[in-house]
């Protein structure tokens, strides 16, 4: 009996075992699936809590543990309504400063008098609503200023 015809107990011929992809490199043990062809793009790490979904940038940030323990969701995710990275960075910076200021206010308020989960969620929604409204107002002021200078 030659080694080519020798079948091991796992059902793989001895000469085929060498050609199987390594599980460490992303291949499956059966070799029926190909390893990923492309790696994750390093340019996708923009910072400032930016995430891109379907070409649109989102601001995504984890709420602080103190607030999550009181009933807040794990993450805040808000559409920045743009597909341009430069614009998304500006909007994200605006939202980040507004949300951090709001978080400080909420934490101070919660230290003075503990409230229920529904009240915490309502407070967080108000923080986000104000932050988004401020971001939109700043955008509109910039557009009006550009329009006036071009005329």
């Amino acid at each position: 009996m030659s080694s080519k015809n020798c079948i091991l107990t796992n059902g793989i011929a001895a000469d085929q075992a060498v050609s199987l992809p390594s599980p460490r490199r992303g291949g499956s043990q059966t070799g029926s699936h190909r390893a990923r062809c492309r790696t994750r793009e390093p340019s996708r790490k923009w910072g400032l809590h930016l995430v891109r979904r379907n070409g649109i940038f989102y601001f995504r940030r984890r709420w602080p543990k103190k607030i999550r323990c009181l009933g807040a969701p794990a993450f805040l995710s808000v559409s920045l309504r743009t597909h341009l990275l430069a614009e998304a960075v500006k909007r994200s910076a605006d939202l980040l400063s507004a949300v951090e200021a709001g978080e400080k206010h909420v934490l101070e308020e919660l230290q003075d008098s503990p409230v229920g989960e529904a009240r915490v969620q309502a407070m967080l929604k108000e923080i986000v609503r104000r932050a988004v409204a401020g971001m939109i107002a700043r955008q509109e002021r910039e557009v009006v200023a550009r329009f006036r200078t071009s005329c």
Side-chain angles (χ1 to χ4, degrees):
M1 186 189 310
S2 72
S3 66
K4 283 191 174 181
N5 296 332
C6 179
I7 304 293
L8 301 175
T9 57
N10 63 2
I12 299 173
D15 64 335
Q16 292 175 340
V18 177
S19 66
L20 290 176
S22 167
R24 284 181 280 152
R25 292 187 355 174
S28 67
Q29 288 184 342
T30 63
S32 61
H33 303 290
R34 293 189 62 174
R36 284 186 142 166
C37 295
R38 60 187 168 102
T39 59
R40 190 164 225 179
E41 298 171 356
S43 63
R44 295 189 66 190
K45 297 177 183 176
W46 299 290
L48 288 174
H49 308 286
L50 289 176
V51 177
R52 188 190 302 188
R53 277 188 256 153
N54 299 324
I56 302 295
F57 284 97
Y58 286 78
F59 174 86
R60 182 172 163 88
R61 182 173 184 269
R62 184 183 296 271
W63 288 109
K65 188 172 183 176
K66 289 180 180 179
I67 294 177
R68 281 182 290 162
C69 290
L70 297 170
F75 287 93
L76 164 64
S77 185
V78 178
S79 173
L80 296 175
R81 302 174 185 158
T82 185
H83 64 279
L84 302 173
L85 178 59
E87 193 63 33
V89 168
K90 288 179 192 175
R91 294 176 189 183
S92 178
D94 284 347
L95 277 177
L96 182 60
S97 61
V99 167
E100 285 179 343
E103 283 175 3
K104 246 186 199 179
H105 177 72
V106 166
L107 287 172
E108 288 170 0
E109 203 170 306
L110 292 175
Q111 284 178 352
D112 296 339
S113 60
V115 294
E117 186 176 316
R119 177 70 180 133
V120 170
Q121 290 178 355
M123 292 168 78
L124 295 178
K125 283 181 184 178
E126 184 60 23
I127 289 172
V128 174
R129 189 194 65 73
R130 285 183 185 166
V132 170
M135 178 187 71
I136 291 171
R138 279 186 289 279
Q139 287 175 305
E140 290 174 353
R141 282 194 303 261
E142 289 175 9
V143 170
V144 170
R146 278 189 231 146
F147 178 74
R148 287 182 181 167
T149 57
S150 67
C151 290

